[in-house]
């Protein structure tokens, strides 16, 4: 047994626990409070288990996809969560998150540092089928929660349907089925009065 | 696209969101509050990514193991979390959880209902190498959190080192390395005064 290796892995897990204290704009389905990044990551991984057939023709590496969803937000421990509609915040996001990745993953043994950093970078680039599908889920999940909470987060931030429709275009690259479902949800949200109609 | 299939999957995910409201006795590493089952499941899956080499000779199916950790507590949506040292509660646990599994997984399309139910049952039986390793992580994780919070949950419930040492014996079947690390942690917790020495 390599004690130094286990020590670094446990040190990383201790640090990773902070993800449970990074809160997002999204509310839980029951509306009781905002959700945190650890809960969000768990839900995304669960969505991989249930929904990955919707990636279409492409044969996805499900193991890679699960790992990717589990780690995709870990950099927010240092960088914080940036609200997707916050234009200024989104500009700084990339630099802050790259710094965070450098610090966090280097706590791990070298081989695992390299594996997870590469997986996180793959997610960020949105080029591989797995990264595109993970990104699609990352857009689809808050949409579901917004719908279930009668547009609570949208309304708090004055978001209208044009902005939502513009944002969810990204889903199409990952899954045509989920993109269609997402658009339907936006139209239903507008009809139900949960989301302001874009002018 | 099979709309009925997607509808059932989304209905299940909506129901699964309730796992974020099932709180455990374990505190976050920073001690700020108890953690919930969704956060705990995310952490266990992360531990799979980092620690699965410690299963020893056995070659584990990591994809199965990740799915298993992600769903292992889902039945607690109906059955609630039972504190591991609560003898009376543990007796009723099995019946309540089996009922919960019946209700929850049947929300899913039949093939996914069968897959996840079977995976959950495999976890509960603790017979396969994957189930033994997942169970080892499920014992090891709260131990780490107890240590980091200076034995907070142990002390709230008057737990001594004998009871902890007895409980963590289960870890050995899943991982000799983690069992050794767990025992070391208990001895260190006693030495540091975080855990009452058993008489």
């Amino acid at each position: 047994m390599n004690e130094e290796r286990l020590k670094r892995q446990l040190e990383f897990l201790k640090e990773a626990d902070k993800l449970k204290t990074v809160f997002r704009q999204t509310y839980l389905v029951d509306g009781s409070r905002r959700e945190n990044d650890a809960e969000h990551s768990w839900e995304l991984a669960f969505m991989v288990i249930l929904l990955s057939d919707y990636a279409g023709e492409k044969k996805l590496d499900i193991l890679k996809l699960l790992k990717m969803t589990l780690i995709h937000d870990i950099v927010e421990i240092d960088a914080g969560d940036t609200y997707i509609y916050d234009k200024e915040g989104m500009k700084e996001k990339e630099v802050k998150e790259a710094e965070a990745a450098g610090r966090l993953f280097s706590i791990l043994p070298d081989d695992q540092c390299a594996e997870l950093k590469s997986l996180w970078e793959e997610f960020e680039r949105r080029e591989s089928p797995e990264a595109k599908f993970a990104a699609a889920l990352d857009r689809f999940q808050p949409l579901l929660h917004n719908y279930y909470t009668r547009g609570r987060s949208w309304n708090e931030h004055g978001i209208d349907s044009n902005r939502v429709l513009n944002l969810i275009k990204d889903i199409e690259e990952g899954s045509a089925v989920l993109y269609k479902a997402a658009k339907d949800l936006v139209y239903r949200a507008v009809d139900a009065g949960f989301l302001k109609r874009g002018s």
Side-chain angles (χ1 to χ4, degrees), chain A residues 150-152 154-165 186-199:
Chain A
R150 307 172 67 90
R152 187 147 163 202
W154 288 325
N155 294 322
E156 281 178 1
H157 295 276
I159 306 297
D160 69 24
S161 62
N162 286 349
R163 292 184 74 183
V164 180
L165 286 169
V186 173
Y187 301 139
R188 281 162 54 196
V190 170
D191 287 344
F194 302 163
L195 177 61
K196 195 166 55 176
R197 193 183 304 270
S199 55

Side-chain angles (χ1 to χ4, degrees), chain A residues 79-133:
Chain A
D81 180 59
T82 307
Y83 189 45
I84 194 77
Y85 296 102
D86 169 7
K87 280 187 190 162
E88 284 307 306
M90 290 303 281
K91 284 182 202 163
E92 296 165 20
K93 185 175 181 277
E94 204 167 327
V95 177
K96 282 198 280 183
E97 291 194 349
E99 281 173 10
R103 183 186 79 79
L104 283 161
F105 294 126
S106 67
I107 298 171
L108 287 167
D110 293 349
D111 59 322
Q112 293 189 326
C113 169
E115 185 201 348
L116 295 204
K117 195 156 179 284
S118 155
L119 199 58
W120 176 76
E121 286 167 350
E122 182 178 332
F123 171 73
E124 288 295 309
R125 280 197 303 274
R126 311 278 191 273
E127 287 169 5
S128 69
E130 287 81 11
K132 285 176 184 171
F133 191 73

Side-chain angles (χ1 to χ4, degrees), chain A residues 164-175:
Chain A
V164 180
L165 286 169
N166 194 44
L167 188 77
I168 63 171
K169 279 181 191 157
D170 297 353
I171 299 177
E172 191 167 20
E173 273 206 294
S175 168

